[in-house]
Amino acid sequence: MNYFELDTPALLIDKEIMMDNLHSMQNYANQYNVQLRPHTKTHKMPKLARLQEELGSAGITVAKVGEAEVMANNGLKNIFIANEIVGKSKVERIRKLAETIDISFGIDNTYQVNQIEEVFEGAEKRAQVLVEIEVGEQRSGIIEENDFRTLLEAVKACKNVEFIGVFSHDGHSYKAQNIDECKELYLESVNRTLHFAKLAEEMGLKPKVVSIGSTPPFMLNFEIPNGVTEIRPGTYIFMDSSQANVIGTYDRCAATVLTTIISKPTKERVITDVGAKGITAQTRSIGHTATKGLGRIKEFDDVHIHGVFDEHAIIYNESFSNQVTIGDKVRIIPNHICPVCNLYEKAYLISEGEVVEEIAVDCRAKLQ
């Protein structure tokens, strides 16, 4: 069927654009001889994760243990949880996963190390951990060198925990004002990550993995310095309005939300049937990812969602209103695609306007 026949709201994925994005990022990783480990929190779809591996990725990244479990149950065998794991029940679930797949996860404190050591007592394989390095995002991760050394000494004293590398996420590059500043932040982040990798080597724990993340620098084809072993972009598979602003085109946005116009109360106000529960209320307000409104209407120039209620999107644009009628369907390019995918049970893969496949969002709501 044509995608306009779908009931709304509906999550659409343009197959040709998505495949081009996938090939482009894999070629970029190959160019710099690093492994691609895509972050699947963007799409949360095991089918697409398997496709990414088929095209050359070394494994996948997830954000939560629940996502790892779903991916493992769907045939993914090499998974990194790019997050600190706290809580014996979660570590026990990782231990169980480690019996059948290669799984690693993040740490940044001796509390976590002690808990992992206890839970993995008697396990066939040691827990595989990477230390997160805080590189400017002001989120989790090691900041001080002394804390890093203390953490690695704690790992060295363990019999059930194995240090395999370091990782970082330069999420603050999203707030760069322009490409030059983005490159500066990216290089500072990579160099800081490599510095801590060197410190680990000096302590007799040479990292097998030096992993860096964030989509904008890779979409801008920045050079990947020697010493980095893998990259973890996520949004690149679909892109969104904020990422499109980085590269200056919406042509690589593969994911949209199909919505129906349900009301035109005034000459300029248009209401559609998707709200915060279908496109979120997220925006970006700083730097080159800054977006206008709460989503961009794909078929029209400079038409954006002005606001949302739970189930309504509000557009104020008289010219747009004059071009559409109640019952028409339009597509919205979300500001941030990752949380949007988490709101849908399935996505529709489309090619040349036709629905060619339904894809289950199996990792939806796996927050634990």
Side-chain angles (χ1 to χ4, degrees):
M1 71 169 71
N2 187 280
Y3 73 84
F4 273 112
E5 300 176 53
L6 293 170
D7 203 357
T8 59
L11 178 62
L12 308 181
I13 303 168
D14 186 294
K15 180 179 180 180
E16 283 72 30
I17 297 175
M18 180 188 73
M19 292 304 298
D20 183 63
N21 290 340
L22 289 173
H23 285 295
S24 178
M25 188 61 70
Q26 187 62 59
N27 291 339
Y28 171 73
N30 294 345
Q31 176 187 351
Y32 287 100
N33 195 31
V34 297
Q35 293 185 330
L36 174 62
R37 184 180 291 274
H39 206 317
T40 61
K41 73 179 180 67
T42 294
H43 55 73
K44 289 178 168 276
M45 305 176 203
K47 183 178 182 64
L48 297 187
R50 292 195 301 269
L51 175 61
Q52 287 170 309
E53 285 199 346
E54 290 169 8
L55 294 177
S57 69
I60 63 167
T61 304
V62 298
K64 297 295 181 73
V65 180
E67 292 176 344
E69 290 169 333
V70 171
M71 290 294 183
N73 288 337
N74 281 272
L76 284 303
K77 299 296 184 182
N78 192 317
I79 301 174
F80 170 48
I81 307 174
N83 211 340
E84 286 70 32
I85 305 300
V86 175
K88 288 185 178 180
S89 63
K90 289 184 174 67
V91 180
E92 286 168 353
R93 289 157 63 193
I94 291 176
R95 172 177 169 164
K96 182 173 180 59
L97 284 170
E99 295 174 0
T100 55
I101 69 168
D102 291 324
I103 186 163
S104 55
F105 55 103
I107 61 172
D108 69 355
N109 191 280
T110 56
Y111 178 97
Q112 300 143 4
V113 175
N114 295 334
Q115 193 169 77
I116 296 164
E117 174 74 358
E118 179 182 346
V119 172
F120 269 73
E121 179 63 33
E124 292 184 6
K125 296 190 294 185
R126 289 187 291 172
Q128 308 289 296
V129 300
L130 287 81
V131 177
E132 182 175 15
I133 309 302
E134 214 282 81
V135 292
E137 188 176 25
Q138 299 184 2
R139 201 167 66 178
S140 51
I142 285 285
I143 297 172
E144 302 296 336
E145 291 183 11
N146 285 340
D147 291 336
F148 183 66
R149 293 189 178 95
T150 298
L151 182 59
L152 289 193
E153 289 294 350
V155 173
K156 288 172 73 173
C158 292
K159 63 178 182 179
N160 301 319
V161 184
E162 180 180 1
F163 169 80
I164 63 171
V166 296
F167 74 104
S168 63
H169 180 251
D170 57 315
H172 57 306
S173 68
Y174 284 62
K175 298 179 180 179
Q177 292 300 314
N178 49 50
I179 292 176
D180 288 341
E181 184 182 356
C182 183
K183 188 171 187 177
E184 180 181 349
L185 293 174
Y186 162 74
L187 290 175
E188 288 176 355
S189 299
V190 175
N191 289 335
R192 178 172 165 81
T193 307
L194 290 169
H195 172 68
F196 277 89
K198 182 65 174 177
L199 292 179
E201 184 175 359
E202 292 171 356
M203 293 180 64
L205 293 173
K206 183 176 182 179
K208 299 175 184 176
V209 179
V210 178
S211 179
I212 61 174
S214 173
T215 291
F218 306 140
M219 292 302 299
L220 293 169
N221 295 310
F222 291 164
E223 181 179 355
I224 302 175
N226 291 332
V228 173
T229 67
E230 75 174 25
I231 58 175
R232 305 186 322 278
T235 313
Y236 78 96
I237 184 173
F238 292 157
M239 298 292 283
D240 52 30
S241 287
S242 65
Q243 298 285 352
N245 290 337
V246 173
I247 62 174
T249 178
Y250 293 91
D251 291 345
R252 298 183 69 174
C253 292
T256 55
V257 172
L258 184 69
T259 183
T260 301
I261 293 167
I262 60 172
S263 179
K264 295 174 61 178
T266 72
K267 65 180 182 179
E268 63 175 7
R269 189 194 310 160
V270 179
I271 313 297
T272 86
D273 68 348
V274 64
K277 292 180 180 179
I279 58 170
T280 80
Q282 286 204 4
T283 187
R284 297 193 191 276
S285 59
I286 300 173
H288 60 169
T289 60
T291 55
K292 183 191 248 185
L294 299 178
R296 175 187 174 92
I297 305 301
K298 183 177 176 65
E299 290 85 358
F300 297 82
D301 290 335
D302 202 31
V303 178
H304 301 82
I305 306 298
H306 178 269
V308 292
F309 292 86
D310 283 353
E311 307 293 353
H312 300 76
I314 316 298
I315 301 167
Y316 286 99
N317 189 303
E318 185 172 353
S319 174
F320 173 69
S321 180
N322 290 336
Q323 296 176 70
V324 296
T325 61
I326 293 175
D328 285 352
K329 296 177 181 178
V330 295
R331 290 184 286 175
I332 300 170
I333 302 175
N335 286 339
H336 186 189
I337 190 59
C338 303
V340 170
C341 287
N342 190 54
L343 299 174
Y344 290 84
E345 295 178 343
K346 60 185 175 182
Y348 296 92
L349 192 67
I350 62 173
S351 176
E352 298 181 355
E354 296 296 311
V355 177
V356 295
E357 188 174 356
E358 293 184 14
I359 304 176
V361 189
D362 289 319
C363 289
R364 175 179 182 266
K366 298 301 180 182
L367 305 178
Q368 295 181 335

